[in-house]
Amino acid sequence: MSAIALAAVGLFIFVLGYRFYSKFIAEKIFKLDPNYVTPAHRYKDGVDFVPTNKFVLWGHHFTSVAGAAPILGPAIAVYWGWLPAVLWVVFGTVFAAGVHDFGTLALSVRNKGQSVGTLAHRLIGQRGKILFLFIILILVLMVNAVFAWVIANLFISYPASVIPVFIQIPLAVWIGYAAYKRNMKMLIPSLIALAIMYGTAIVSSQVDFLQIDLVRYMGGEEGAGLFGLGAISSAFFIWIVVLMIYVYIASTLPVWKLLQPRDFINSHQLIVGLAILYLGLLFTQPEITAPVTNPGADVSWFPLLFITIACGAISGFHGLVSSGTSSKQLDKETDARFVGYLGAVGEGVLALISIIAVITLFPDRAAFSASYSSFADASGAGLGNFIEGATALASGLMIPGSVASTIVSIIVVSFAATTLDTSVRLMRYIISELGVEYKVPQLEKKHVATSIAVLSSMALVILPEGPNGFGSGGYLLWPLFGTSNQLLAGISLLLISIWLRKLGRNYMITIIPMVFLMFMTLWAMFQQVFLQWAWYNEGANTLLFVFGAIIFVFTLWIILTAAQALMSKSNPGFSDEDLK
């Protein structure tokens, strides 16, 4: 089958979803009001509450939610064949992810820009709020560990990407000051910054001394490294430390100084990257060599597919971004459709090309099966296969292989870094909120909360000793990241359903995907946490069992509490303004 035909069908469905379904939701369900005073204006403080142009905010939102997950998850999920992965990415984006991201943004905007964790108090009570905050805290902690692990490994595998990634930071700071202190438009400076990044990428991919290869500096793969860890483990440790220092600074700065301008650059980078891949697809016209389905899979796709593609179809982390940062920057309430729903569609577009890059990489089905011989092999090879497949597509535009692989790795790292510092910022908010709740004033301080977030994330990614040795924390946490991420999305959809019901509106658009998602994810989680206890009870995997069991019990508790709230006819403390 032609990969172009598959891409065309998927993109057409995305367009229909945004054009018609999101418009229906905006006008008939959420009833967005262009005259509503958003939290960005009402509580404007120049730090977190900053009215932002919808295109700039879309760039921040899109790159914050994109990360590496919509690439990694689909690249692993093709193990079960390309058809199940494509169907879930396309229809999950239109009917679940778009509704979830749009809904959490609209809910937060109508409630003072509060996060879904805070809103849980008003919707399902104090106990539900605390349980939900702890689930969110565990999720963002895992997000930090997983994405730091991904970035560190990409820096080791693609050292030519290091300088272009880090040169983006001073460029973004310059753009932030130019835009907010001198009222300069961001577009031209961000395009110049992107050109500098890619120009540096071209040069560094061809010039050895511009490649920051820490493994080579320590004597190669056989080198002793630091503290006798070996060169690779030492390089990994150094990059984790550097990343944690970076996210500490990035997550405490006002959003306009680094977060917004860097994310605006990354939004252009994402558009350029998607253009390269889709145009490469058009020029190379590859055939799909992967099987439609894989009946010989060693694990069933049902229900594991729905937690393996943890982003790209629907993701609870998106709701944290929508309600945690994006809602505080929304200029007009009607912009929520563009930022929220279209942001989810953008991630679906990225997940779709990720699938296509992998299923067209191999010369024949035998080569695909050799790389994806088991689910474990798929998990280890997914990201590398995407980069190779994306490089092959870029070759259709006459881009040299070394340059293409460097640019693709830069794109993945940039998105992962954006998600990482947004996640640390969100973790700071939650820790501070818990400090208020339990009357621990020290936790309310920005730098104390950020230090806890950074140090705990660093410990989680480097301390567990797994199948890949030192620094396997991110690898070990991926299965639980998927389940907790989807459970969070299901709980957020449940909160939106309660809100809509209290407003007397049709809540079927949220309750149906919520029931589906909860059923699939709880089933998959029960299999992984309890039925496979023997697998988890090996060294560091005990950590997964503990985290998983806590999340599983907390989720069931929240569902029972929320079900009572959903069926109740009482109004949980909404103001007259909320009910308009």
Side-chain angles (χ1 to χ4, degrees):
M1 178 179 175
S2 170
I4 293 178
L6 179 62
V9 171
L11 294 175
F12 181 66
I13 295 174
F14 287 145
V15 170
L16 291 179
Y18 179 71
R19 174 65 181 83
F20 297 105
Y21 193 50
S22 72
K23 183 179 181 182
F24 165 76
I25 295 170
E27 295 178 355
K28 304 299 183 182
I29 306 299
F30 295 143
K31 299 182 180 180
L32 302 182
D33 180 2
N35 298 316
Y36 181 79
V37 180
T38 64
H41 289 281
R42 184 173 300 172
Y43 309 110
K44 184 177 178 181
D45 62 5
V47 179
D48 294 317
F49 292 88
V50 180
T52 305
N53 176 277
K54 69 177 183 179
F55 295 100
V56 176
L57 182 55
W58 180 84
H60 155 68
H61 179 84
F62 186 13
T63 52
S64 293
V65 301
I71 294 172
L72 181 56
I76 295 172
V78 295
Y79 167 70
W80 292 294
W82 61 262
L83 183 60
V86 168
L87 289 177
W88 177 233
V89 162
V90 172
F91 290 104
T93 295
V94 171
F95 295 108
V99 176
H100 169 270
D101 295 15
F102 186 6
T104 50
L105 183 55
L107 173 63
S108 179
V109 167
R110 278 285 167 165
N111 290 275
K112 304 178 182 179
Q114 294 175 330
S115 70
V116 287
T118 302
L119 290 170
H121 183 193
R122 298 175 67 187
L123 293 167
I124 58 177
Q126 178 69 6
R127 182 175 57 190
K129 170 193 171 181
I130 299 302
L131 294 173
F132 195 28
L133 283 177
F134 274 111
I135 289 178
I136 295 172
L137 188 64
I138 293 173
L139 173 62
V140 293
L141 180 60
M142 288 191 292
V143 167
N144 297 341
V146 168
F147 283 83
W149 177 82
V150 168
I151 294 170
N153 278 288
L154 285 175
F155 277 161
I156 292 171
S157 300
Y158 301 94
S161 67
V162 175
I163 291 180
V165 167
F166 278 95
I167 205 172
Q168 184 188 40
I169 298 173
L171 291 172
V173 171
W174 166 68
I175 293 172
Y177 273 99
Y180 286 92
K181 295 298 184 180
R182 299 181 181 178
N183 296 318
M184 184 185 296
K185 298 294 184 182
M186 276 193 184
L187 179 59
I188 300 302
S190 66
L191 292 176
I192 293 173
L194 186 61
I196 293 173
M197 285 180 64
Y198 282 179
T200 307
I202 293 171
V203 174
S204 64
S205 64
Q206 305 294 324
V207 180
D208 281 349
F209 74 84
L210 293 178
Q211 300 176 12
I212 311 301
D213 189 348
L214 296 184
V215 175
R216 182 178 63 190
Y217 296 158
M218 295 180 186
E221 294 185 8
E222 301 302 320
L226 301 174
F227 316 114
L229 289 174
I232 295 177
S233 294
S234 297
F236 180 87
F237 175 77
I238 292 171
W239 283 129
I240 292 296
V241 171
V242 170
L243 286 170
M244 291 300 119
I245 293 172
Y246 159 73
V247 296
Y248 185 99
I249 297 170
S251 62
T252 53
L253 288 174
V255 292
W256 62 266
K257 282 189 177 180
L258 177 59
L259 190 69
Q260 284 184 353
R262 191 211 49 221
D263 290 355
F264 196 53
I265 296 171
N266 284 343
S267 69
H268 297 311
Q269 187 174 189
L270 180 55
I271 292 170
V272 170
L274 289 174
I276 289 173
L277 296 180
Y278 277 100
L279 286 175
L281 178 66
L282 184 63
F283 282 100
T284 57
Q285 299 187 25
E287 292 292 318
I288 297 173
T289 54
V292 177
T293 60
N294 181 11
D298 59 349
V299 292
S300 173
W301 68 272
F302 196 84
L304 291 182
L305 172 75
F306 303 101
I307 63 168
T308 301
I309 303 181
C311 296
I314 184 170
S315 165
F317 183 75
H318 294 194
L320 300 184
V321 175
S322 290
S323 65
T325 58
S326 298
S327 64
K328 297 176 177 62
Q329 302 172 57
L330 200 71
D331 185 35
K332 296 181 180 179
E333 189 179 48
T334 47
D335 293 345
R337 177 191 173 203
F338 182 85
V339 174
Y341 195 98
L342 193 61
V345 168
E347 178 143 299
V349 171
L350 178 59
L352 180 62
I353 196 62
S354 175
I355 292 171
I356 292 173
V358 173
I359 62 179
T360 58
L361 169 64
F362 302 94
D364 51 42
R365 185 169 298 185
F368 175 88
S369 299
S371 180
Y372 285 83
S373 58
S374 67
F375 184 68
D377 289 341
S379 300
L383 185 58
N385 285 338
F386 165 76
I387 293 178
E388 288 186 34
T391 300
L393 292 178
S395 67
L397 301 179
M398 308 302 292
I399 300 175
S402 60
V403 174
S405 61
T406 298
I407 289 176
V408 172
S409 62
I410 289 170
I411 292 172
V412 177
V413 168
S414 297
F415 297 159
T418 299
T419 303
L420 182 61
D421 61 43
T422 299
S423 179
V424 171
R425 184 180 290 262
L426 292 171
M427 192 171 178
R428 165 167 64 87
Y429 293 160
I430 296 166
I431 292 172
S432 297
E433 204 164 324
L434 290 171
V436 173
E437 189 65 38
Y438 290 104
K439 297 179 174 57
V440 185
Q442 289 299 320
L443 295 181
E444 299 176 42
K445 296 181 179 179
K446 179 169 67 173
H447 290 288
V448 172
T450 305
S451 298
I452 294 172
V454 168
L455 292 175
S456 59
S457 301
M458 180 175 173
L460 191 58
V461 73
I462 67 174
L463 291 183
E465 185 77 19
N468 294 343
F470 174 82
S472 292
Y475 174 85
L476 291 169
L477 288 167
W478 181 259
L480 189 55
F481 164 72
T483 53
S484 57
N485 195 22
Q486 304 304 77
L487 285 176
L488 179 59
I491 296 170
S492 297
L493 285 169
L494 184 55
L495 295 178
I496 301 168
S497 301
I498 295 171
W499 177 60
L500 291 174
R501 187 175 187 276
K502 301 303 179 184
L503 297 177
R505 298 175 189 169
N506 185 353
Y507 58 94
M508 287 297 104
I509 64 158
T510 53
I511 206 73
I512 292 173
M514 184 278 294
V515 171
F516 176 83
L517 197 63
M518 282 294 198
F519 177 75
M520 292 298 174
T521 310
L522 285 172
W523 182 7
M525 195 172 197
F526 184 78
Q527 283 185 340
Q528 288 200 319
V529 173
F530 296 105
L531 297 185
Q532 297 184 28
W533 160 242
W535 178 61
Y536 277 112
N537 197 26
E538 295 177 5
N541 286 330
T542 303
L543 182 67
L544 292 187
F545 175 81
V546 173
F547 273 13
I550 292 172
I551 293 172
F552 188 85
V553 172
F554 280 10
T555 301
L556 291 178
W557 198 343
I558 289 174
I559 290 173
L560 293 175
T561 305
Q564 293 176 336
L566 184 64
M567 301 308 296
S568 172
K569 295 182 180 180
S570 63
N571 185 326
F574 286 110
S575 66
D576 292 338
E577 185 178 24
D578 296 328
L579 295 170
K580 287 180 180 178

